[in-house]
């Protein structure tokens, strides 16, 4: 069981590293105006690490440039939902 846990940890670290490589590659392509391939790079990174928020925001930017409005809105919505739940949590209202 411990060996399995170590293997899973190694895979998570490897996936995180590869997702960051995808993000950097996408960033370079975005700067060059290669929006379609940048979008693919960000999507590839998200397949490896779903909670890496810059991948969503960067992919949304690429989708805006490609005029893929619905996909851009979906990515932005995902980031907002994630931030509401995990970063700031839910705040109690003064009325409670």
């Amino acid at each position: 069981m411990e060996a399995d846990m170590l293997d899973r940890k190694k895979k998570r670290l490897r996936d995180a590293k590869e997702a960051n490589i995808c993000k950097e590659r996408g960033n370079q392509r975005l700067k060059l105006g290669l929006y379609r391939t940048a979008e693919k790079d960000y999507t590839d990174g998200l397949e490896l690490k779903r909670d890496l928020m810059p991948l969503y925001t960067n992919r949304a930017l690429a989708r805006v440039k490609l005029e893929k409005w619905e996909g851009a809105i979906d990515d932005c919505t995902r980031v907002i939902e994630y931030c509401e739940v995990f970063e700031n949590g839910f705040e109690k209202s003064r009325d409670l």
Side-chain angles (χ1 to χ4, degrees):
M1 178 146 168
E2 191 173 319
D4 182 52
M5 288 173 46
L6 289 174
D7 288 343
R8 288 178 188 218
K9 182 179 179 180
K10 287 179 185 176
K11 183 182 181 325
R12 279 193 310 272
L13 291 172
R14 187 172 53 248
D15 287 350
K17 184 177 180 180
E18 185 63 33
N20 277 309
I21 290 170
C22 289
K23 180 177 71 87
E24 292 304 320
R25 188 171 50 232
N27 290 348
Q28 291 301 316
R29 290 179 174 165
L30 196 66
K31 288 177 187 175
L32 295 173
L34 303 171
Y35 305 123
R36 204 172 313 282
T37 53
E39 178 190 21
K40 172 133 180 35
D41 288 328
Y42 298 133
T43 301
D44 292 345
L46 284 167
E47 288 176 8
L48 296 167
K49 188 151 175 62
R50 295 302 245 176
D51 62 344
L52 190 58
M53 292 300 105
L55 289 170
Y56 286 105
T57 56
N58 293 359
R59 185 172 71 175
L61 177 60
R63 288 178 168 178
V64 165
K65 296 290 189 176
L66 293 168
E67 298 182 4
K68 293 183 176 182
W69 311 118
E70 205 168 301
I73 291 169
D74 290 343
D75 285 344
C76 292
T77 302
R78 171 83 49 129
V79 172
I80 291 168
E81 289 171 351
Y82 183 89
C83 290
E84 285 178 350
V85 173
F86 293 105
E87 290 186 6
N88 297 331
F90 292 102
E91 295 181 21
K92 286 187 175 180
S93 166
R94 297 175 105 187
D95 296 335
L96 295 178

